[in-house]
Amino acid sequence: MILHPLSLCILLLEAAALFLLLQSLPALIQGHLKWDPGSASVLQLRLEPRIEIAFFRNQLGFGLFAMAYLMWIIGVSNVYSQSIPGAMCGLGVIEALSRDALPLVILKSLCLLIYFLFFCVRLETGKYPLGTYHKKTMALLLLLLPISMVSFWQTFQALTSIDASQSVHCCAALITQTPSLAGEIHIPFEPWHAKILAVLALALVALCHLGVIRNSNAQIVLIPIWLFSSHYWLKHQILPYVYGVLEHPCFWCAFRPQYYSQGFIYLGAYLIIIGLAIRIWIATKFPEHRPKNNRGLKVCFWVTVFVYELTALTPACLWKLQSGQWIQ
Amino acid sequence: MKDSPKTPFFQWMLRECFRYPRIAWSTVACLFILTLFPGVILCLTQALGTTAEQLLARSPAMVIRKIGPLGWQPIPTEYVDALGQIPGVNRVEPRIWGLAHAEYNTFTLIGFGPSAQTLKEAQIAIGAGNSTEQLDSLEFKTVPDESFKVVPTPEGLHMWPGTALVNEFDARRILQLPLGYVSDIALYFFHPQEAAYVDEEIRALFPFDVQLETSQDYAKRYNSSLFKWGGLGLLLGMPMLLAAFFFFIGQRHYLNLESRNIGIMKLMGWRVKDLLWLQAGRALLLGIPSVSLGIATSYFMVYGPGSRILIRIFMGWSEPTPDFRFALGLTTIFQLVFLIFIPYLIAYLLPMYRAASRDPGEILEKQN
Amino acid sequence: MKPIGIELKHLSFAYGNSPNVLDGISLELEFGSSYLIRGNTGSGKSTLLQIFCAMKRPTEGDCLLGGQPVSRWTAPHRDRWRGNMGFAPQDPLLLPHLTVAENIMLPLITQNLTQPEIDTVVREAIEELDLLHLATQRISQCSGGEAQRVSLARAIAKQPTYLFLDEPSSHQDDVHLSQLLSFLDRKKGTKTIQVVTSHDPRLQSSCHFDMQLELSAGQLEVL
């Protein structure tokens, strides 16, 4: 699959992002060791513009990596399955990636997360005229470098390992083969239990946003709880209405055009909510944090939650209106 | 618009864009050509894939062939009824077809279907092609003493070049297929995707080895080779990366010459983001129309009157080709944007950021 | 007591390992006033002005503009601050491919003004400094004195909070100099500060300036 034009795009964008990071490396190392904000030394006067350029390069790099990530999601969910026998959705493509699949997903998501952290920290530290906290930003980029290199290598290997002549099993076979954890150890965990947990988590996040809960780190714990429980509820209670079958908890099928590519809305909502939560949290970590500045972000957060819930509930409501009953 | 605070900046941007018209127009021309070449390759790949998909949508969901030591063998028709009993199977069609060698041509001979039944004995309809336009009759090597009269194609039937249609009796004689046997058996399913899940059941019906091929598998194999071709084409003719590199070098050189002016603008209160917006505005004003025109022209060349020439150039097909049905293909547009437009934007913005982030005092001292 | 616009605290500056050009200067300059800094060639007047413009960073001490150590800030913040500043250096530093009017307009484009407002400001500056007949000419067709007046118009037109002029009278005859001083008078306000450096005796004898200072041997003295 390496010669697929989409694969070339993905690799080109990731390579460009990595190249921009590597180009910034000497300045980042020197800056991290010798940064002396406000000093009139020759070294500091030379370092300042180089560090600004390094930050800008990597902001561009973040944009490129995000585009590559989006292209990869599009490729896995809709494009590569057209060339892999047996693959009907992204799950079949992931199966074709074989042993490279899980590390690749983790690495790419981690890379995206660190790039985003860098972007948020840069937005905050850029507000300080003396560049007092620039070292934190440089440290994040230095942390990103090895992860980015491994991610690029894994992406390259994964794309070369897909053999379009080998048939794979897809979701209908794979999901029945994989027992759920709740089923294995007989936990009576119903989808509506997950929904209650998700609602509770969101309520606590609302209290954080309103200032009732003053611990700013609480969000970072609550958002993953919301994410996993909401996703469990979506897969087991909502997707049946999307697919029109009793049980088919395959998230990748939701990306297919015949289901109006709703998967992109769900995934987009998850990423935006996580991103906004991180952005709001990081803003509280800097001494000159002004809560009023976060109001816009909080509004965006709740609007996204509303759009997600509305998109999730619409298929179920439409089913009920058309057939007069819920799926049982 | 006139009283908006953004207007002066926008007007300044327009003026700067066309202050050096020759540079501006050559940028537009270069970008247009750079978009056109990969655009044609990607559009052609997409058009071939979409057309194949649409053609295959009318084909059987599964085809069963008997495999022997020497390859395909005729398959007996006694299993047709049992195949029809499999849940999900709509229709079972035993097919008679194969390669038949005439004196100067080889045809894919078809001897089944309602159109074949309209032909009389010793009549043959052939798909129009460059090499068969003048033929009145044909003789096949397997039945050398018989001549088959070329008749017009039955109404409502489109025949590809290289195909020939005869009635079942003649087909069996030419292909030397005895009664009770057919070339293969086609299955039509209510839900074509179900074909992939009944292979075990089908194999169990036959006491010999059979090859089962679904239309989806066929489409995927075709897509896979098509995308490989498209990707190779892009790699081999990848001028855009080089061009982005040259744009970058050119911009850097231009901005080095302009560094004094940039230093003065910074001293006058222009910030890095203003200079970046100015540069981005120039890039977008020149880039968006040229890339859009390049993409539109690629689509026109592939889906318009020029497609036959392209097929001859890129695929080497000499016979008439099917008309491509238009499909917008957002993936193709995304790929073009990411392969051409994004490197072009970066080639514009990075050198400007580099130039603009230097201290004006440093820039002006170096100039002195 | 007027608010302090510029505060120098034991300010020193040296080029590389050379001796200090500016040596431990401490001074306060107030808003609503205009200052003339005199000194011989090479005394450090331009260097002092460049420190005021945040183009150079003091090697010791501080230069506070509006209470902020602007010259120690990172580049994006210094660039943002320069929106408050008008600067006419000794070398006019004009863009040769632009016309006179376009050069004067240059600092106003990013000031969130509408086009009619910009046109009014530019027209006023052109009329005040006798540049009407040159408005549509390219800079390359202007004389040295005309180019200097364009540079001054560009700096003064936007009515900046901080106005710094380096040797503004070097190529000006008496008529044009008097036009310049009238224009400066009109643009003076309670929230602006004007600092001019020159060794021109015509400026030293004019009554436009609230205070004159002498820079010599790295020290700044009030006259």
Side-chain angles (χ1 to χ4, degrees):
Chain A
M1 206 50 64
I2 189 68
L3 287 176
H4 195 294
L6 192 68
S7 305
L8 294 175
C9 272
I10 293 168
L11 289 172
L12 185 71
L13 290 170
E14 281 203 30
L18 182 59
F19 176 70
L20 290 172
L21 183 54
L22 283 168
Q23 237 190 338
S24 315
L25 189 60
L28 289 172
I29 292 173
Q30 205 175 19
H32 190 66
L33 294 171
K34 303 244 168 93
W35 188 252
D36 185 8
S39 155
S41 68
V42 171
L43 179 64
Q44 179 69 14
L45 291 173
R46 277 200 200 134
L47 259 179
E48 281 179 11
R50 287 173 68 205
I51 292 297
E52 291 295 326
I53 292 170
F55 287 163
F56 180 72
R57 276 199 191 114
N58 287 287
Q59 282 172 297
L60 274 182
F62 169 48
L64 293 174
F65 189 86
M67 281 186 238
Y69 194 86
L70 174 66
M71 300 287 274
W72 183 70
I73 297 286
I74 292 172
V76 167
S77 62
N78 278 297
V79 177
Y80 293 140
S81 55
Q82 292 172 17
S83 309
I84 300 171
M88 303 223 286
C89 71
L91 201 58
V93 175
I94 298 280
E95 172 77 0
L97 290 170
S98 62
R99 60 183 176 81
D100 297 318
L102 189 58
L104 179 64
V105 170
I106 292 171
L107 271 169
K108 285 181 94 68
S109 303
L110 185 61
C111 227
L112 190 67
L113 177 67
I114 299 177
Y115 257 123
F116 184 70
L117 278 170
F118 152 72
F119 183 72
C120 294
V121 169
R122 167 65 182 146
L123 284 177
E124 289 301 321
T125 59
K127 292 177 190 169
Y128 293 83
L130 285 172
T132 323
Y133 297 101
H134 276 17
K135 278 178 94 163
K136 289 186 199 293
T137 321
M138 292 179 225
L140 270 172
L141 285 175
L142 290 170
L143 172 69
L144 178 64
L145 179 64
I147 298 169
S148 185
M149 289 173 77
V150 177
S151 161
F152 176 72
W153 177 241
Q154 287 280 353
T155 306
F156 180 81
Q157 281 200 308
L159 290 173
T160 47
S161 74
I162 300 179
D163 186 352
S165 63
Q166 293 278 341
S167 190
V168 296
H169 294 298
C170 200
C171 43
L174 287 172
I175 288 175
T176 51
Q177 285 171 16
T178 312
S180 70
L181 182 62
E184 275 226 325
I185 54 178
H186 304 294
I187 294 174
F189 191 65
E190 300 292 327
W192 64 269
H193 294 154
K195 188 58 182 168
I196 290 173
L197 188 61
V199 169
L200 277 173
L202 264 188
L204 290 171
V205 170
L207 291 175
C208 288
H209 285 180
L210 290 169
V212 174
I213 297 177
R214 291 195 184 275
N215 187 345
S216 60
N217 295 331
Q219 276 187 89
I220 296 303
V221 174
L222 291 167
I223 292 293
I225 293 173
W226 172 83
L227 181 70
F228 289 116
S229 45
S230 207
H231 188 63
Y232 185 89
W233 167 75
L234 180 84
K235 273 172 61 169
H236 292 277
Q237 191 139 55
I238 296 297
L239 288 183
Y241 293 100
V242 175
Y243 305 140
V245 296
L246 196 56
E247 175 86 357
H248 184 67
C250 175
F251 185 56
W252 286 106
C253 282
F255 287 83
R256 292 167 68 188
Q258 63 232 66
Y259 303 119
Y260 307 104
S261 303
Q262 288 172 64
F264 287 105
I265 300 178
Y266 299 137
L267 182 65
Y270 293 152
L271 291 174
I272 291 172
I273 286 167
I274 293 168
L276 286 169
I278 291 173
R279 178 79 185 89
I280 293 168
W281 174 68
I282 282 178
T284 63
K285 294 297 164 194
F286 289 87
E288 286 182 22
H289 163 63
R290 286 180 216 138
K292 279 184 196 168
N293 289 349
N294 280 348
R295 205 170 285 162
L297 294 172
K298 288 171 184 170
V299 167
C300 288
F301 179 92
W302 291 104
V303 167
T304 311
V305 169
F306 174 74
V307 168
Y308 169 77
E309 297 291 345
L310 188 67
T311 312
L313 290 169
T314 300
C317 296
L318 283 175
W319 182 278
K320 172 76 173 164
L321 283 170
Q322 284 167 359
S323 67
Q325 57 189 354
W326 304 109
I327 281 182
Q328 288 172 9
Chain B
M1 180 74 181
K2 206 172 174 191
D3 286 346
S4 162
K6 304 275 184 229
T7 308
F9 189 87
F10 185 67
Q11 284 179 350
W12 191 271
M13 193 194 294
L14 270 174
R15 235 176 302 180
E16 285 299 305
C17 199
F18 292 101
R19 201 175 288 279
Y20 302 107
R22 261 187 242 171
I23 295 176
W25 288 116
S26 49
T27 305
V28 168
C30 279
L31 212 48
F32 170 74
I33 293 167
L34 283 171
T35 312
L36 188 62
F37 183 78
V40 160
I41 292 178
L42 288 176
C43 280
L44 197 55
T45 312
Q46 174 200 283
L48 285 166
T50 313
T51 307
E53 237 176 73
Q54 285 164 349
L55 291 172
L56 283 170
R58 285 183 264 156
S59 64
M62 182 183 279
V63 169
I64 305 168
R65 294 190 181 97
K66 182 180 175 186
I67 303 290
L70 298 170
W72 292 351
Q73 293 176 349
I75 188 169
T77 51
E78 62 195 86
Y79 304 99
V80 168
D81 290 335
L83 287 168
Q85 303 302 314
I86 292 173
V89 174
N90 235 2
R91 182 162 68 96
V92 182
E93 185 177 39
R95 308 195 305 181
I96 299 170
W97 68 280
L99 288 179
H101 303 281
E103 193 179 355
Y104 297 111
N105 309 89
T106 299
F107 290 94
T108 302
L109 194 77
I110 300 164
F112 68 96
S115 300
Q117 287 162 19
T118 64
L119 294 176
K120 296 195 175 77
E121 205 176 314
Q123 279 187 340
I124 186 166
I126 56 179
N130 297 334
S131 53
T132 56
E133 272 167 1
Q134 308 300 327
L135 289 176
D136 294 321
S137 66
L138 278 171
E139 283 173 15
F140 290 97
K141 288 177 181 170
T142 46
V143 281
D145 300 327
E146 287 191 48
S147 182
F148 291 83
K149 184 169 180 275
V150 177
V151 297
T153 308
E155 207 176 293
L157 185 70
H158 177 83
M159 291 185 66
W160 300 123
T163 57
L165 187 72
V166 292
N167 65 34
E168 184 184 331
F169 176 69
D170 286 336
R172 284 185 181 282
R173 284 190 304 120
I174 295 168
L175 297 172
Q176 296 179 323
L177 206 59
L179 276 173
Y181 285 83
V182 288
S183 307
D184 58 30
I185 301 174
L187 297 182
Y188 292 83
F189 283 74
F190 191 69
H191 281 302
Q193 288 98 330
E194 287 179 15
Y197 300 106
V198 295
D199 53 337
E200 292 298 326
E201 228 173 305
I202 292 173
R203 285 183 204 281
L205 287 175
F206 294 93
F208 45 78
D209 282 333
V210 287
Q211 181 194 54
L212 306 178
E213 194 162 72
T214 64
S215 59
Q216 283 194 359
D217 286 345
Y218 193 80
K220 284 175 198 245
R221 272 209 310 276
Y222 184 72
N223 272 334
S224 167
S225 61
L226 205 54
F227 287 131
K228 218 180 276 185
W229 172 86
L232 261 177
L234 275 181
L235 270 182
L236 290 172
M238 211 178 209
M240 50 271 189
L241 275 184
L242 265 179
F245 179 70
F246 284 125
F247 262 128
F248 184 85
I249 300 289
Q251 277 299 304
R252 229 178 126 145
H253 177 66
Y254 167 73
L255 288 169
N256 276 339
L257 297 174
E258 288 284 299
S259 60
R260 178 181 178 273
N261 293 346
I262 290 168
I264 292 170
M265 289 168 86
K266 287 200 71 181
L267 212 48
M268 295 303 118
W270 283 62
R271 290 178 288 174
V272 174
K273 75 168 195 178
D274 299 320
L275 290 163
L276 279 178
W277 272 116
L278 187 69
Q279 187 77 333
R282 266 190 220 148
L284 291 171
L285 280 168
L286 296 176
I288 290 178
S290 31
V291 170
S292 307
L293 193 62
I295 293 176
T297 310
S298 313
Y299 271 88
F300 180 74
M301 286 179 73
V302 169
Y303 291 103
S307 63
R308 304 240 147 96
I309 302 167
L310 288 175
I311 288 280
R312 266 180 215 197
I313 293 169
F314 287 111
M315 310 293 287
W317 293 351
S318 56
E319 297 293 350
T321 50
D323 284 330
F324 295 134
R325 280 183 219 176
F326 179 76
L328 189 61
L330 286 176
T331 314
T332 300
I333 295 178
F334 277 143
Q335 282 165 172
L336 281 170
V337 167
F338 287 135
L339 280 172
I340 312 285
F341 197 63
I342 304 296
Y344 158 78
L345 266 185
I346 294 176
Y348 254 81
L349 291 177
L350 257 180
M352 173 52 99
Y353 190 88
R354 212 187 142 80
S357 56
R358 287 163 64 194
D359 204 75
E362 184 199 331
I363 298 172
L364 297 167
E365 256 172 40
K366 276 199 177 145
Q367 295 290 324
N368 292 337
Chain C
M1 179 79 176
K2 294 177 188 172
I4 308 295
I6 301 174
E7 188 182 349
L8 306 178
K9 285 182 170 177
H10 308 291
L11 180 86
S12 299
F13 182 85
Y15 288 97
N17 296 325
S18 317
N20 282 349
V21 172
L22 306 169
D23 198 6
I25 300 173
S26 292
L27 189 67
E28 287 174 358
L29 306 177
E30 294 167 347
F31 275 121
S33 304
S34 61
Y35 300 86
L36 175 67
I37 299 177
R38 298 153 45 165
N40 297 328
T41 313
S43 59
K45 303 189 297 297
S46 297
T47 303
L48 183 62
L49 220 52
Q50 284 175 17
I51 291 175
F52 288 164
C53 294
M55 284 166 65
K56 283 187 164 55
R57 189 173 287 179
T59 46
E60 279 174 45
D62 254 322
C63 169
L64 303 176
L65 295 143
Q68 303 290 335
V70 175
S71 52
R72 297 202 181 278
W73 287 355
T74 54
H77 292 273
R78 273 183 280 142
D79 292 342
R80 192 165 42 90
W81 178 85
R82 284 199 193 100
N84 298 330
M85 177 195 87
F87 178 49
Q90 209 166 348
D91 173 3
L93 292 182
L94 300 167
L95 300 187
H97 61 285
L98 300 180
T99 62
V100 164
E102 285 170 346
N103 267 282
I104 298 173
M105 205 189 297
L106 190 64
L108 304 170
I109 301 291
T110 56
Q111 296 296 307
N112 258 343
L113 300 170
T114 62
Q115 193 60 51
E117 286 168 347
I118 291 175
D119 292 340
T120 308
V121 168
V122 169
R123 199 176 310 119
E124 187 199 0
I126 284 174
E127 285 166 357
E128 289 285 346
L129 293 179
D130 191 26
L131 293 166
L132 202 55
H133 58 292
L134 299 168
T136 53
Q137 271 190 25
R138 288 191 193 271
I139 295 300
S140 45
Q141 295 165 331
C142 297
S143 68
E146 287 163 346
Q148 192 178 44
R149 289 208 301 283
V150 174
S151 172
L152 292 165
R154 184 180 61 185
I156 302 168
K158 71 176 189 179
Q159 197 143 10
T161 309
Y162 299 89
L163 179 63
F164 304 117
L165 307 179
D166 194 357
E167 302 285 356
S169 58
S170 52
H171 299 293
Q172 303 304 318
D173 55 36
D174 293 346
V175 171
H176 288 117
L177 181 60
S178 120
Q179 282 172 347
L180 170 66
L181 290 172
S182 320
F183 194 30
L184 282 174
D185 265 333
R186 259 194 291 285
K187 291 295 181 180
K188 206 166 155 183
T190 53
K191 290 182 183 167
T192 63
I193 184 169
Q194 297 176 355
V195 178
V196 176
T197 63
S198 178
H199 57 263
D200 189 337
R202 294 176 297 171
L203 283 177
Q204 291 166 19
S205 59
S206 90
C207 49
H208 168 78
F209 300 99
D210 299 306
M211 189 185 287
Q212 295 194 18
L213 307 152
E214 177 82 30
L215 181 60
S216 88
Q219 295 295 321
L220 199 57
E221 288 169 12
V222 178
L223 295 174

